[in-house]
Amino acid sequence: MTVITPEGERRDAYRLIETTEDAKAPAGNAAGSKPLVPLALLGEIETPEAPFGLFVENTAEIAEIAPHLGSVDLIAIAFPAFSDGRGFSLAKRLRREGFTGTLRAKGPLIADQFADALACGFDEVDIPDTMANRQPVQQWLEMKDTMSVHYQTGFGEGKSILQQRMAAREEAAR
Amino acid sequence: MAKDHRAGSKVKGDKLPAIVMASDLLEGDTVFLAETGWTRDSKAARIAHDQESADAMEAEGKAAAAANAVVDPYLVPVEITEEGHPLARHFRDVMRQKGPSIHPDMGKQADFGPIA
Amino acid sequence: MYRYDEFDERFVRERVAQFGEQVKRRLDGSLTEDEFKPLRLKNGLYLQLHAYMLRVAIPYGTLSGRQLRQLAKIARDYDKGYGHFTTRQNIQFNWPKLKDVPAILDLLADVEMHAIQTSGNCIRNTTADQFSGVAADEVEDPRPTAELLRQWSSQHPEFVWLPRKFKIAVTGAEHDRAAIRVHDIGLRMRRNEAGEPGYEISVGGGLGRTPMIGKVIREFLPKDELLAYVEAIMRVYNAEGRRDNKFKARVKILVHETGTEEFTARVEEEYAKLDGPTVNAPLEEVERIAAYFAPPAYEDLPAESVTLGEARKADAGLDRFVEQNGFAHKQPGYIALTISLKPIGGVPGDMSADQMEAFADIAERYSLGELRVTHSQNLVLPYVKKDDLPALYAELKTHDLATANAGLVTDIIACPGLDYCALATAKSIPIAQEIAKTFADDARQKAIGELPIKISGCINACGHHHVGAIGILGLEKGGRENYQITVGGDATEHASLGERLGPGIDAEDVPGAIEALVETYLSEREGSESFIETVRRTGADPFKASFAGFIETRAAQEAAE
Ligand code: SF4
């Protein structure tokens, strides 16, 4: 898996816990040291030392995730397919819930979705290596910046077109 | 138009003989697997008369799709006309092979003439 | 008309460049076909039976003469000299090449047009009443709302990977000409008891495999809360709409399966949570957009034109044209005109590049440079002076654009069907052509009166057959094309779905079957009832009976042959 942030590729500091056995294994330094725990597994293992990472399906309810928000510093949302946009809405809702840690989109996303993911509140993506081979990090960084303006207020960084128009009007009125 | 593509057409009974039809990636028009490479003239299409050749041709089509030359290759059951040309058996495939029925002046029928 | 400012311009230009990059990355293998397909669809590009097809957005059906001229240029330089107007007020080019598409998009951007989100699982082009701003029965102009939604929905980061396509329509008139109840979201502009402007909002209408009429989930939403409320609907749908089966993925199924009440509750809950004021457009922005749609500088004219009155007496053709294709205008002395793209035997909705150019001139000379596209695949000249009509009519005739059949039995809606469409199960256009020929006689058409016939070439229902007074659906049965006939569909404020009359029939039997249904109507009708009014009163039974009779006769004829 390859983790890509707006600054480029990054070493993954988290290690996915897939079974209760995994949870017991000592954290090596090689593959990341913090555990990334699936929400469904959280009740079955000894709760790791905070802060840890939480891995959620894109169908997870906010109510299920909310109790853990204080003890996790990363939430990875599963993207079963690039064309399944549920994760975007979940990210938006998690941010609204006040989560300020790292939000990660995990799955076979394509570079063309990077800007949208960031605008919905994600900080990074974690894509399979097969995808990263076809769409290397450079493409992600380029596609991220293809659009410099957006209409929707409340999404992404920078002012929306509507806000920029407002600002221009105020400027002109002055 | 809701979805973008409908897989190969259903024809009852024997699926042979058959040709392979696809869309050219760059131009978007219908192309047919020929003896070597692809042709736009269905009269020059390679014809599979047995299952083994059909399978091999289908694999060739898929390889061309993987190599970004064509899109959606599939086997098309045909009958052989008096002059020895393949003619698709399903009306949808015929439409692709010839061109729009409402515009005889467009599509393959305009470029390569009728199929007899 | 709305004009792009620097931001709109930059947005569209960057989108063109982005698509150019996507094409390059498809060709170099960075993107697989499966990945590229939704990207090209979101830019209106399909791969059809014979070629790519590019669907260009015509926001709420409004075009300038300059834009139409550019479409003519594209048709001539990159296509085969014609374009096809669709049931969603868009235009399609049937023969572009992938490598030319970025250049075509540039030409579109030159005239403030694009192909963004005319396809794909995202919010599509917002449609509106074609008589917006001029209809005598209009309460409020829907175009500023449609334009606001166009901007807001363009590349919305959260809603470009929806379970399925999503269509919004707006009307501001008493009579619904935008078919809002068969859209995913239908907005009806209205005022509350205090006289404040707002919307009645319905969700979950749609045609396709499971046709449904939209349910009202909000009787009144204050006008300035629109974007936040729509965002709430979209978020609920994006999160909960089904993704396991594409035939159940439209919001209508979600509304149906959850129940209108529960669905409404979820939307309201989401709406309560989101920070409305940050999402909604500021009042100044709404006003800025609305200013573009202010009424043009009309001349002060008497309501009736003497020139026209005399010309109508002298020319029966003109008289008939005005009677059939004229539409009551708000402004005294003016008239709106439907320009039929349904000449007998033609392809419904097709227009040649020559016609487009000529019509662009006509719109500039006679209609303040503006024209509209209707969802029944016709055009409208919205600002015609009655005094100008005789001269205008003469010009339209020279370009074969004066067919006086708006709303009549030969004004048939037909999707592209199997002649072009990769999804089709049967031909659609040739059926329309044969029916039109059968009823070509003017006097006969006039006697039959208003009769919307709608034809789709597959279950996706782009031809809106469910809401045709007579609907025709082409399917494949036993390796042949087979057509199912319905009666009683209606897309207006009396929205209803057609009822099937019996088993499917062969293509060559369709015109005869339609004749049988028309005969039934003529014998059943009371007073000045239209076809649909008669069906509403009698129910489908008399039509089922005559349809069965027709099938029996045909079977007997075939047995005899
Ligand atoms: S109804 Fe079917 S055949 Fe007609 S245009 Fe739509 S998808 Fe194609």
Side-chain angles (χ1 to χ4, degrees):
Chain A
M1 302 292 277
T2 305
V3 176
I4 300 174
T5 77
E7 282 74 48
E9 193 174 333
R10 187 178 93 179
R11 198 185 69 90
D12 190 0
Y14 296 81
R15 170 176 59 98
L16 181 62
I17 307 294
E18 290 180 85
T19 62
T20 46
E21 288 306 303
D22 279 3
K24 290 177 198 145
N29 286 333
S33 46
K34 286 192 200 175
L36 178 62
V37 188
L39 183 60
L41 213 59
L42 206 51
E44 292 171 35
I45 60 168
E46 196 181 318
T47 309
E49 195 181 314
F52 59 93
L54 185 65
F55 181 35
V56 301
E57 299 302 324
N58 62 5
T59 48
E61 300 278 342
I62 291 291
E64 302 170 79
I65 304 173
H68 309 292
L69 288 182
S71 41
V72 302
D73 62 353
L74 175 139
I75 298 178
I77 299 176
F79 276 72
F82 76 99
S83 54
D84 184 339
R86 282 178 280 202
F88 295 114
S89 285
L90 183 54
K92 189 82 185 151
R93 282 172 161 164
L94 279 172
R95 285 301 185 209
R96 185 170 68 201
E97 212 58 29
F99 180 64
T100 53
T102 304
L103 259 187
R104 170 186 288 188
K106 187 174 168 60
L109 284 87
I110 56 178
D112 309 74
Q113 295 176 302
F114 200 20
D116 292 341
L118 298 173
C120 289
F122 285 105
D123 301 292
E124 57 188 35
V125 296
D126 180 7
I127 56 171
D129 292 335
T130 47
M131 299 284 301
N133 291 341
R134 257 194 301 116
Q135 298 176 19
V137 65
Q138 200 48 38
Q139 277 193 23
W140 287 75
L141 298 181
E142 278 165 20
M143 292 313 288
K144 171 174 80 67
D145 292 330
T146 51
M147 304 292 296
S148 68
V149 285
H150 62 278
Y151 286 103
Q152 302 76 18
T153 309
F155 286 81
E157 283 170 15
K159 291 193 164 77
S160 71
I161 290 176
L162 272 55
Q163 289 169 318
Q164 293 188 54
R165 283 177 181 148
M166 280 286 279
R169 265 192 299 270
E170 278 160 20
E171 185 65 27
R174 213 172 285 154
Chain B
M1 271 146 280
K3 198 178 141 277
D4 194 34
H5 168 72
R6 200 162 67 96
S9 315
K10 282 189 212 99
V11 169
K12 277 203 199 117
D14 205 353
K15 306 284 186 288
L16 293 171
I19 61 174
V20 170
M21 221 187 244
S23 301
D24 184 78
L25 174 62
L26 263 183
E27 307 266 322
D29 63 337
T30 309
V31 290
F32 310 89
L33 191 64
E35 285 311 323
T36 50
W38 298 83
T39 175
R40 292 187 148 75
D41 180 0
S42 68
K43 290 177 198 142
R46 193 193 323 168
I47 302 170
H49 292 279
D50 55 73
Q51 197 54 45
E52 205 180 320
S53 331
D55 292 345
M57 282 167 59
E58 196 177 16
E60 245 180 87
K62 285 195 176 138
N68 304 318
V70 302
V71 180
D72 290 334
Y74 66 98
L75 277 171
V76 176
V78 294
E79 54 187 65
I80 308 299
T81 65
E82 274 176 22
E83 291 182 17
H85 300 307
L87 180 62
R89 279 162 56 196
H90 192 279
F91 60 87
R92 178 179 185 270
D93 298 327
V94 173
M95 191 69 83
R96 291 193 70 188
Q97 188 180 356
K98 292 183 174 173
S101 72
I102 51 170
H103 283 299
D105 54 328
M106 293 176 196
K108 303 297 173 204
Q109 57 201 353
D111 298 339
F112 301 104
I115 296 157
Chain C
M1 263 182 85
Y2 185 73
R3 296 300 309 264
Y4 283 8
D5 68 359
E6 54 177 310
F7 298 108
D8 300 308
E9 164 85 18
R10 195 182 336 153
F11 179 86
V12 168
R13 292 285 177 194
E14 288 179 357
R15 182 70 183 97
V16 173
Q18 184 183 50
F19 187 65
E21 284 303 308
Q22 289 171 335
V23 172
K24 267 191 222 140
R25 287 167 54 241
R26 169 70 186 103
L27 298 179
D28 73 17
S30 299
L31 288 164
T32 64
E33 180 63 19
D34 284 347
E35 289 162 357
F36 178 63
K37 191 160 105 181
L39 297 177
R40 70 165 153 74
L41 288 176
K42 286 179 213 299
N43 228 316
L45 190 64
Y46 283 79
L47 185 49
Q48 295 289 37
L49 290 181
H50 317 291
Y52 285 100
M53 178 271 277
L54 182 68
R55 184 182 297 153
V56 176
I58 301 177
Y60 35 93
T62 301
L63 270 182
S64 68
R66 172 166 166 260
Q67 291 173 324
L68 185 61
R69 211 170 275 119
Q70 190 79 329
L71 294 175
K73 179 180 165 58
I74 292 169
R76 192 170 284 134
D77 294 353
Y78 293 101
D79 207 272
K80 294 187 188 291
Y82 67 103
H84 174 77
F85 289 98
T86 76
T87 52
R88 295 211 75 253
Q89 302 180 305
N90 292 321
I91 186 170
Q92 295 180 175
F93 293 110
N94 290 307
W95 304 91
K97 299 185 162 86
L98 177 60
K99 56 183 190 221
D100 292 335
V101 170
I104 298 174
L105 295 178
D106 259 327
L107 285 173
L108 290 171
D110 288 345
V111 293
E112 303 176 21
M113 293 183 79
H114 60 71
I116 298 167
Q117 288 165 221
T118 52
S119 177
N121 295 335
C122 50
I123 304 172
R124 304 286 188 87
N125 182 26
T126 301
T127 51
D129 187 347
Q130 67 266 21
F131 293 116
S132 296
V134 301
D137 69 340
E138 186 168 275
V139 181
E140 199 168 337
D141 191 341
R143 291 170 300 169
T145 297
E147 173 60 25
L148 183 65
L149 286 169
R150 180 191 76 80
Q151 298 187 17
W152 171 83
S153 62
S154 292
Q155 293 210 312
H156 194 297
E158 190 179 342
F159 306 131
V160 277
W161 302 95
L162 299 171
R164 204 72 176 76
K165 59 183 165 184
F166 201 94
K167 302 174 178 177
I168 306 179
V170 204
T171 182
E174 278 159 31
H175 183 70
D176 176 12
R177 285 171 291 265
I180 61 164
R181 297 305 285 278
V182 293
H183 280 75
D184 295 283
I185 292 181
L187 300 174
R188 187 170 72 81
M189 307 190 77
R190 51 164 300 201
R191 289 185 177 259
N192 66 6
E193 277 154 21
E196 294 149 350
Y199 305 94
E200 174 194 270
I201 298 184
S202 56
V203 177
L207 300 173
R209 180 171 297 230
T210 324
M212 286 187 192
I213 304 292
K215 318 286 183 303
V216 174
I217 67 162
R218 198 38 128 94
E219 297 281 347
F220 183 80
L221 178 83
K223 193 174 170 198
D224 53 3
E225 296 180 32
L226 180 68
L227 295 186
Y229 199 81
V230 174
E231 183 170 308
I233 297 172
M234 297 311 301
R235 186 163 298 134
V236 169
Y237 170 56
N238 190 40
E240 299 179 28
R242 288 181 60 172
R243 293 182 189 252
D244 57 331
N245 177 343
K246 80 169 200 293
F247 296 116
K248 303 203 162 159
R250 295 286 292 270
V251 71
K252 63 189 173 190
I253 304 292
L254 179 64
V255 174
H256 181 72
E257 288 181 351
T258 358
T260 309
E261 221 171 287
E262 173 61 20
F263 178 82
T264 309
R266 289 186 200 173
V267 170
E268 292 290 343
E269 188 193 337
E270 175 63 32
Y271 183 57
K273 278 192 190 146
L274 55 76
D275 184 3
T278 62
V279 177
N280 286 316
L283 182 66
E284 292 93 324
E285 178 62 13
V286 174
E287 284 172 353
R288 183 191 73 89
I289 292 175
Y292 286 104
F293 300 99
Y298 289 118
E299 286 172 39
D300 235 340
L301 297 171
E304 288 316 318
S305 152
V306 180
T307 322
L308 177 59
E310 278 168 9
R312 283 180 76 163
K313 272 185 219 131
D315 181 348
L318 170 67
D319 185 55
R320 184 73 197 106
F321 180 71
V322 178
E323 180 189 2
Q324 196 59 46
N325 292 26
F327 183 82
H329 205 288
K330 266 181 182 170
Q331 181 71 18
Y334 283 78
I335 187 168
L337 273 183
T338 298
I339 306 304
S340 165
L341 296 181
K342 319 286 176 66
I344 304 299
V347 176
D350 271 17
M351 194 176 205
S352 70
D354 291 346
Q355 282 178 319
M356 289 184 212
E357 270 166 4
F359 196 65
D361 290 346
I362 287 175
E364 279 164 2
R365 238 166 316 130
Y366 296 101
S367 182
L368 306 175
E370 190 180 318
L371 60 128
R372 308 278 174 83
V373 181
T374 80
H375 79 264
S376 47
Q377 302 175 293
N378 290 319
L379 302 179
V380 162
L381 289 174
Y383 307 112
V384 177
K385 278 190 267 182
K386 287 182 180 171
D387 290 341
D388 285 344
L389 252 172
L392 167 60
Y393 176 67
E395 284 198 43
L396 289 171
K397 268 206 302 198
T398 47
H399 302 290
D400 208 11
L401 290 169
T403 312
N405 65 350
L408 296 179
V409 58
T410 58
D411 182 4
I412 300 169
I413 289 184
C415 79
L418 192 71
D419 278 282
Y420 296 100
C421 177
L423 294 168
T425 40
K427 290 192 280 288
S428 174
I429 295 166
I431 303 294
Q433 291 172 321
E434 286 310 311
I435 296 173
K437 284 182 200 156
T438 306
F439 291 97
D441 182 68
D442 277 330
R444 188 177 183 199
Q445 290 190 57
K446 190 180 168 185
I448 297 166
E450 189 180 333
L451 175 43
I453 298 183
K454 309 192 182 204
I455 311 176
S456 304
C458 83
I459 196 83
N460 287 313
C462 302
H464 299 177
H465 62 277
H466 300 292
V467 289
I470 295 178
I472 302 171
L473 166 63
L475 294 171
E476 173 177 355
K477 200 175 155 200
R480 285 168 66 85
E481 289 160 285
N482 185 269
Y483 295 85
Q484 290 182 356
I485 318 284
T486 53
V487 300
D490 186 349
T492 70
E493 64 276 19
H494 310 293
S496 61
L497 302 170
E499 190 175 334
R500 218 175 114 185
L501 292 177
I505 55 179
D506 285 344
E508 60 267 27
D509 288 339
V510 174
I514 305 302
E515 282 192 293
L517 299 177
V518 166
E519 285 315 314
T520 309
Y521 155 62
L522 292 176
S523 64
E524 293 279 337
R525 92 166 144 195
E526 287 177 2
S528 60
E529 267 178 353
S530 67
F531 185 95
I532 184 70
E533 286 164 347
T534 299
V535 179
R536 248 185 245 136
R537 179 176 51 78
T538 64
D541 285 349
F543 297 89
K544 282 184 180 160
S546 64
F547 186 71
F550 170 78
I551 291 182
E552 238 170 72
T553 318
R554 283 293 293 140
Q557 278 169 356
E558 258 170 40
E561 271 162 25

